[in-house]
Amino acid sequence: MAEQPQIYELNNGTMVVKITNFGCTITSLSVPDKNGELADVVLGFDTVERYVQGTAPYFGCIVGRVANRIKNGKFTLNGTEYSLPINNPPNSLHGGFKGFDKKIWEVAEYKKGDNPSITFKYHSSDGEEGYPGDVSVTATYTLTSSATMKLDMEVVPENKATPINLAQHTYWNLAGHNSGNVFDHTIQIWASDITPVDENLIPTGEIKQVKGTSFDFTAEKKVGLSINEVGLGYDHNYVLSSGEERSGLKRAAKLKSPSSSRVLNLWTNAPGMQFYTGNYVNGVVGKGGAIYNKHAGLCLETQGFPNAVNQQNFPSVVVQPGSKYQHTMLFEFSTE
């Protein structure tokens, strides 16, 4: 029996996160500023219905079976060519027309208390959106400490090799979801290279140094400083360096809002991170009637590289039956 989409709350007394089983979507995430004032720092809607209507540009959801773009919606695996829906012409994007973000997941476990958590499960069948093989997907959100949230994603292919690449697509605005554009945020990204893209936003296969370019965030820099030099804005995969590590995770990014002093440090075990500045957000009416315009939030989507299934020199995203895809993200909030 299919469950109904509804919203669940994780609350540890310091931070409050609301998540729906529709697309495993974070609809609201409230953390304190330097004065202890809570604000909701993610773009989204007040009701589940708005997500179900499909009007959101992937606000807050988990995308899959394969996040990001696959060139021309085609790939070959074990001698078989697979064709995927072209939902972002000329490419297939974020799992197709009805990816994991548009499915109702089963709530497998829901715990309250000091370290509240919720576990969602989804079974994706062979041939769904063109992908090979049955896979079992699990995603668990946990508040691991007063101002830290962990997301553990796991996918097990049951009978065929398949590409798998999940991403968490939350749009962040640390000044508050309704506070305008994120140009004054500063960001540091632990990456000295990006994977440059062609005119259809497909990586060329090159790994390119960011040093001395508008893509350089190796030191903390304002998001808006060079954004006009990169077309519509940032929408690029950063090759995460093996820098600082902590319990198997590497540091990916540090985002800060000077006006609120809120800071987000993101840690991950994924090889890449799509840094996306909400370039296609266009007058979306969100929570409390807030109007989200271009650059109203930014995404830090840790991931396998875009189109990796067709790029031999990129880390493989193909997972074999009997092995497991595991992707962890740690969101650490603070003020400074």
Side-chain angles (χ1 to χ4, degrees):
M1 155 166 156
E3 302 190 29
Q4 289 306 301
Q6 50 184 307
I7 291 175
Y8 300 85
E9 184 177 281
L10 301 180
N11 184 342
N12 61 8
T14 305
M15 64 186 292
V16 184
V17 185
K18 293 180 180 168
I19 307 168
T20 169
N21 55 331
F22 183 79
C24 251
T25 302
I26 298 172
T27 64
S28 163
L29 190 151
S30 299
V31 286
D33 67 4
K34 56 180 183 291
N35 305 316
E37 296 291 318
L38 280 182
D40 182 355
V41 297
V42 305
L43 272 49
F45 300 121
D46 288 315
T47 64
V48 171
E49 288 68 41
R50 289 290 304 282
Y51 294 93
V52 175
Q53 285 161 13
T55 49
Y58 300 100
F59 284 163
C61 56
I62 289 180
V63 292
R65 184 179 300 196
V66 175
N68 218 298
R69 293 173 180 85
I70 293 180
K71 185 177 183 172
N72 300 329
K74 288 197 184 331
F75 67 91
T76 298
L77 192 56
N78 297 335
T80 304
E81 183 177 74
Y82 293 93
S83 290
L84 311 172
I86 308 294
N87 62 322
N88 185 254
N91 307 313
S92 191
L93 175 70
H94 290 332
F97 285 113
K98 196 174 178 186
F100 294 180
D101 64 300
K102 296 177 181 68
K103 303 286 186 180
I104 296 177
W105 297 48
E106 173 202 340
V107 178
E109 192 171 43
Y110 182 29
K111 291 187 205 160
K112 308 240 167 148
D114 291 343
N115 301 112
S117 70
I118 188 161
T119 298
F120 299 100
K121 284 187 186 300
Y122 177 66
H123 184 270
S124 172
S125 2
D126 184 20
E128 184 178 298
E129 295 293 312
Y131 288 96
D134 294 280
V135 299
S136 300
V137 192
T138 311
T140 302
Y141 292 94
T142 310
L143 303 190
T144 51
S145 71
S146 63
T148 305
M149 178 179 75
K150 187 162 100 148
L151 169 59
D152 288 300
M153 294 171 274
E154 193 174 285
V155 186
V156 179
E158 293 172 8
N159 38 34
K160 288 182 187 172
T162 179
I164 297 170
N165 183 19
L166 304 190
Q168 216 300 339
H169 210 296
T170 290
Y171 289 72
W172 303 98
N173 186 325
L174 297 182
H177 74 99
N178 54 353
S179 64
N181 73 44
V182 291
F183 286 175
D184 73 327
H185 282 51
T186 62
I187 190 167
Q188 183 173 359
I189 300 175
W190 274 257
S192 43
D193 304 274
I194 56 165
T195 52
V197 292
D198 66 19
E199 67 282 5
N200 295 320
L201 296 176
I202 293 290
T204 59
E206 191 191 350
I207 307 282
K208 190 178 183 187
Q209 288 205 342
V210 296
K211 199 179 163 122
T213 72
S214 315
F215 297 98
D216 188 349
F217 290 97
T218 49
E220 218 164 284
K221 182 173 99 178
K222 273 203 179 353
V223 169
L225 187 68
S226 326
I227 198 167
N228 294 328
E229 298 162 17
V230 292
L232 293 172
Y234 296 96
D235 191 3
H236 294 77
N237 173 58
Y238 280 71
V239 178
L240 297 175
S241 327
S242 45
E244 213 178 319
E245 281 217 11
R246 211 174 67 198
S247 44
L249 303 179
K250 54 192 172 187
R251 198 162 178 186
K254 176 189 178 183
L255 181 66
K256 181 181 173 181
S257 149
S259 63
S260 71
S261 296
R262 288 189 190 88
V263 175
L264 164 58
N265 276 290
L266 174 61
W267 302 72
T268 186
N269 63 347
M273 183 185 79
Q274 192 80 6
F275 174 45
Y276 172 53
T277 47
N279 313 330
Y280 301 104
V281 178
N282 178 8
V284 180
V285 181
K287 287 175 279 197
I291 310 281
Y292 303 138
N293 287 312
K294 197 174 175 182
H295 313 307
L298 60 80
C299 303
L300 304 169
E301 309 159 57
T302 64
Q303 61 179 4
F305 296 179
N307 195 40
V309 72
N310 291 312
Q311 273 295 348
Q312 294 310 302
N313 62 317
F314 285 180
S316 175
V317 292
V318 174
V319 185
Q320 304 293 337
S323 53
K324 208 183 259 187
Y325 165 94
Q326 282 172 312
H327 180 182
T328 296
M329 303 175 79
L330 193 70
F331 305 89
E332 211 171 32
F333 298 94
S334 57
T335 57
E336 64 177 41

